[in-house]
Amino acid sequence: MIREIEYYAPTHKKELFEIIHNDNRDICLIAGGTDLIININKKHLSPDAIVNLKSMEELNYIEEEDGIIKIGATATHNQIANSLLIKEKALALAQACKSVGSTQIRNLGTIGGNIVNASPAADSVAALLALDASVLLESYGDKRKVKISDLHTHTGGIDLNKGEVLTEISFKSYSKNIFSYFVKFGLREALAIVELSVTAVMEIDENNFCKDAKISIGAIERHPVSAKCVEEEFVGKELNLETIEDCIEKMSEFTAKTLFETPFKDLIPYKKQCIKGVSREVFEAIYYKAVRK
């Protein structure tokens, strides 16, 4: 017997919240829907209703306002990867979105969906963490802003209240002295699920000293994590190849320590070496852009 699933396609927020407000059914919100059929077939999802946000144009935008970059939740990976604003002001995010799946997946998949799916290997989330991004969560008559670093739970899910929808992502638009870079390592050249990723955002002064650093690593925990000890190692030091080598070793130590506290500790020998090559590519890219420009 085929199970019936109700389908809704609201065109604006008011209609969306009227649909989901006080509805106790198992409702699945989608935008690109690239993971939906897979999850239903694997019996990870069994929704009573599907609400497709794709027709909500008010959730699809990329803009800068008062020094803040704002991205609507239904903006696709390709829209972000090809955005001149993002490539100029947040290169790491453009690179992360460009690395997602195939062209077809990037044309359909959305940044909001990538965040809400809460995958340990979510490329855009790793970049957004280093960019110190926040998300806007809206519900019927209410809204709240949450740092992306506080959104994910210890069990690997996300901290959403009943009836809440992620509608916007925002972060500061960085100046010409702030540089970012993202590198992802996968086992295959195409359509690779990330084995490990590194994002760095660094502020480098006119004397080539690092004033601030944000570094995130994807796929070593249940969600991307900040490498605080490595950030501290960079800040206050001249950005040169010697500093980079010291920080690469710190990245390897941090990766091993983090993995040891997860069910994936058997991957420590592999990933503590893998992180060195990925980190070197990221840090040296920033070095050559900032110091040797």
Side-chain angles (χ1 to χ4, degrees):
M1 181 178 177
I2 298 176
R3 181 170 175 268
E4 289 188 0
I5 301 176
E6 288 196 51
Y7 177 84
Y8 302 89
T11 57
H12 50 79
K13 289 181 186 178
K14 184 175 184 294
E15 184 181 0
L16 166 65
F17 293 126
E18 285 175 351
I19 292 170
I20 65 175
H21 182 57
N22 284 338
D23 194 321
N24 292 319
R25 292 178 300 169
D26 186 0
I27 297 177
C28 179
L29 270 61
I30 66 169
T34 53
D35 292 326
L36 178 66
I37 300 301
I38 294 172
N39 285 325
I40 289 177
N41 287 340
K42 289 183 176 180
K43 303 190 185 305
H44 294 164
L45 289 176
S46 183
D48 299 312
I50 292 173
V51 179
N52 192 343
L53 310 181
K54 203 66 175 179
S55 298
M56 296 179 61
E57 287 299 319
E58 64 184 308
L59 295 184
N60 189 344
Y61 54 88
I62 303 170
E63 61 189 27
E64 183 178 10
E65 182 180 351
D66 298 327
I68 302 295
I69 291 177
K70 299 179 179 181
I71 303 174
T74 65
T76 67
H77 297 299
N78 261 348
Q79 284 178 301
I80 297 167
N82 295 323
S83 165
L84 294 178
L85 173 63
I86 301 301
K87 286 193 280 190
E88 179 186 355
K89 299 291 183 72
L91 177 62
L93 181 59
Q95 292 170 319
C97 289
K98 189 175 182 179
S99 77
V100 173
S102 64
T103 300
Q104 294 92 329
I105 290 172
R106 291 193 297 273
N107 279 334
L108 284 173
T110 65
I111 191 167
N114 205 219
I115 295 169
V116 173
N117 278 344
S119 165
D123 297 325
S124 68
V125 177
L128 290 168
L129 181 61
L131 287 163
D132 197 28
S134 297
V135 297
L136 182 63
L137 305 175
E138 295 191 59
S139 58
Y140 192 86
D142 196 15
K143 61 177 67 175
R144 63 185 177 117
K145 198 171 184 179
V146 179
K147 286 281 188 184
I148 204 158
S149 56
D150 298 326
L151 184 64
H152 296 88
T153 67
H154 294 298
T155 57
I158 61 168
D159 183 21
L160 277 179
N161 295 328
K162 180 175 171 54
E164 280 188 327
V165 179
L166 191 156
T167 58
E168 183 181 88
I169 302 95
S170 62
F171 51 88
K172 288 183 181 178
S173 171
Y174 59 66
S175 68
K176 64 179 181 179
N177 294 324
I178 299 180
F179 304 85
S180 74
Y181 213 78
F182 168 94
V183 171
K184 161 183 171 175
F185 175 77
L187 290 180
R188 303 192 305 277
E189 288 297 318
L191 309 184
I193 293 177
V194 65
E195 285 287 307
L196 192 144
S197 73
V198 173
T199 310
V201 180
M202 297 186 188
E203 182 179 1
I204 310 299
D205 69 16
E206 61 277 7
N207 296 314
N208 300 332
F209 278 77
C210 180
K211 294 183 65 178
D212 192 24
K214 300 291 183 186
I215 299 166
S216 69
I217 305 175
I220 64 169
E221 243 280 21
R222 287 182 174 86
H223 46 76
V225 294
S226 295
K228 299 289 187 185
C229 61
V230 186
E231 295 170 356
E232 293 167 0
E233 188 73 15
F234 268 115
V235 174
K237 293 184 178 178
E238 183 180 356
L239 183 61
N240 54 38
L241 296 180
E242 183 180 352
T243 301
I244 286 173
E245 287 301 319
D246 290 341
C247 289
I248 286 170
E249 290 301 320
K250 285 277 188 183
M251 289 285 280
S252 182
E253 294 168 11
F254 175 80
T255 297
K257 181 179 179 181
T258 303
L259 281 167
F260 187 77
E261 298 171 355
T262 73
F264 315 112
K265 61 179 69 176
D266 58 317
L267 296 174
I268 289 175
Y270 166 62
K271 290 203 175 186
K272 72 178 293 190
Q273 294 303 320
C274 179
I275 192 78
K276 292 181 180 181
V278 179
S279 299
R280 180 173 285 107
E281 187 173 349
V282 170
F283 299 154
E284 288 188 357
I286 292 177
Y287 168 71
Y288 285 109
K289 283 176 175 292
V291 177
R292 302 193 62 185
K293 55 183 180 289

